[in-house]
Amino acid sequence: MSFASLGLCATILEALQSEGYTTPTPIQEQAIPAVLARRDVMAAAQTGTGKTAGFTLPMLEILKDGERAKPNEARVLILTPTRELAAQVGESVETYAKGLNLSSAVVFGGVKINPQMMKLRRGVDILVATPGRLLDLYQQNAVRFPKLEILVLDEADRMLDMGFIHDIKRVIKVLPPKRQNLLFSATFSDEIRELAKGLVNDPVEISVSPRNTTAERVEQVVYPVPKTEKPVLLMALLRQLDLPQVLVFTRTKHGANRLVKQLESSGFLATAIHGNKSQSARTKALLEFKTGKVQILVATDIAARGLDIDQLPFVVNYDLPQVAEDYVHRIGRTGRAGASGNAISLVEGEELKLLRAVQRLIKQEIPQAYLEGFTKVDLSKAKPLPKPARGGSGHSSGRPSGSGGARSGNRSQGGRG
Ligand code: AMP
C-alpha cells in the first residue's frame, strides 16, 4: 500500500516524501479513505500509531480545494487535551500542508490571548485548540464556526480524564450541525461511547494496535536497585549507553527537579518538564531537548502525555508509575510507528507491587539486569507468569554484567553495540 494509492495529491505526497514516510501505518490505511469519503470516524488508536497524519492528511486533501476561511472563522477544528499535544498537532499540520496555501493556528491557555486573537482575525483553515482557551476566544468573538467542515477530537479519552466533558459539549453546541466528525481515543470506554452518541453519525469504526502492543514493540529491562543507588546507576547507564537523548520519568515533580540537579552536578545536561512549570518554561524545555541542547528530559506522567519526540531510542523509568497503564503510555514514547525502542526501569524493593501490576497488564515478565558494582535487590517475587512471554532482551538478564564496570564504556547492556 502506498500513500498515492490512498488518493492524496502530489503536493501532500511530496511533503510525506521529505518527511521520509514511505508506507502508511495501519491507522492511516483505514482512516484516510474513510475521511476522504466524508464519513464520520471513530478510531481507537494511541499516540505512536501515526494517527495525527491519519486525520490530517485527508483533511488537507479536502480543504485544499475549498474556499479559504473568512475572517474570524475556521474550517477545521482540532481539539486536544494538552497544550503540548496542541503544539505538536499544529507542527504536523504545518509539515504536511507545506505548499498547499492553507492557514493554520494553534491556541491554548497559559499564554497571552491577544496574539491568538490577532492570528484569528484573518481566519484560519485549520484551528488546533485546547477546549478552555477555545471557549474564551469564542466568548470574546475572536472565532466563529458558521462554515466548519470537520471537527476532530484527538485523545478524547484524556480530555474526559482531564474533566473537559462540559467544555467539549459547550464547543459542540456552537458548531454547525452538518459537519464531519472524527473521534480519536486510546480506548472506547463507556464514557467515550456516551460522548460519541451525541457526536458522530454512522461512523466508520477503526481499531488498531490494542493498547498493549506498544509493550511488545519495545525492548524492556528492569534493573533491581536500592532507592539510594538509583541516581548513580542512572548516570552509569547513561554513560555506558552513550545515548544522545533520553526521556526519564519520575513519579513526582519534586523528584524530577531533584534528579535534574543531581544530573547537572555530575556534568549531564538535563531539564525537567512538569505541571509546576510555566507554559513557556515547558515549551523551552521541550525545544531544548528536541534540538539536542539538553540530553536528558526528566518528566512526570501528566507533563509527558502525548509528547511526540521523534525517534526517541530510550525511555527510563526512574520510578515506576503508580498506575500500571501509565507504564504503557511512558514506554509508548519510544518505538513509535514501527521503530523499535528500549525502556529501562530502575526498580527498588518497595516498587515490587507496582512491577507486578505492570507485568500483569503487559502480560510479560520483564527481564532483569544488573550492573557491576551496584547492590542487587531481590525482585524474584515479582514473577506473575509461569514463563516469559517473549525471548531474550539483549540485556544481561539476571546476572552481573561480567567484564567492564559501571563506567567502563562496556555497551553490551543496552543491546546497542
Ligand atoms: P502519532 O501517532 O500521530 O503521534 O505519530 C507518531 C510518529 O510517527 C510521529 O513522529 C510521526 O511523524 C510518525 N509517522 C506518522 N506516520 C508515519 C509513516 N507513515 N511512516 C513513518 N513515520 C510516521
Side-chain angles (χ1 to χ4, degrees), residues 3 19-25 28 46-53 96 308 310 336-337:
F3 281 108
E19 283 303 292
Y21 298 3
T22 50
T23 29
T25 65
Q28 292 162 1
Q46 297 186 336
T47 315
T49 53
K51 69 184 165 67
T52 315
Y96 305 139
D308 176 22
D310 280 344
R336 325 200 101 195

Side-chain angles (χ1 to χ4, degrees), residues 330-403:
R330 286 178 177 191
I331 71 169
R333 307 304 104 197
T334 179
R336 325 200 101 195
S340 66
N342 292 266
I344 293 178
S345 302
L346 310 190
V347 179
E348 56 165 310
E350 294 203 350
E351 291 173 303
L352 190 61
K353 241 172 131 176
L354 301 175
L355 179 63
R356 270 198 216 120
V358 166
Q359 296 191 138
R360 217 165 22 239
L361 178 74
I362 63 171
K363 301 193 178 71
Q364 288 177 34
E365 184 184 333
I366 308 172
Q368 296 180 12
Y370 300 95
L371 209 57
E372 201 172 271
F374 289 86
T375 311
K376 288 178 211 168
V377 168
D378 179 15
L379 292 180
S380 56
K381 292 191 195 77
K383 287 183 181 159
L385 300 167
K387 59 179 178 199
R390 51 197 287 274
S393 73
H395 299 258
S396 64
S397 304
R399 58 184 168 76
S401 64
S403 67

Side-chain angles (χ1 to χ4, degrees), residues 63-129:
L63 291 181
K64 78 181 201 321
D65 298 323
E67 206 181 311
R68 297 297 181 263
K70 300 243 155 39
N72 296 102
E73 291 185 9
R75 298 167 66 201
V76 166
L77 174 62
I78 303 172
L79 287 181
T80 72
T82 63
R83 303 150 180 187
E84 281 83 6
L85 185 61
Q88 276 165 203
V89 171
E91 272 174 36
S92 296
V93 167
E94 278 191 15
T95 305
Y96 305 139
K98 236 182 310 177
L100 281 181
N101 186 30
L102 290 166
S103 57
S104 62
V106 180
V107 298
F108 45 71
V111 294
K112 283 191 192 127
I113 199 166
N114 273 4
Q116 297 178 351
M117 295 176 86
M118 300 285 280
K119 261 198 253 171
L120 291 170
R121 217 172 253 177
R122 280 205 275 164
V124 292
D125 295 304
I126 302 138
L127 179 58
V128 188

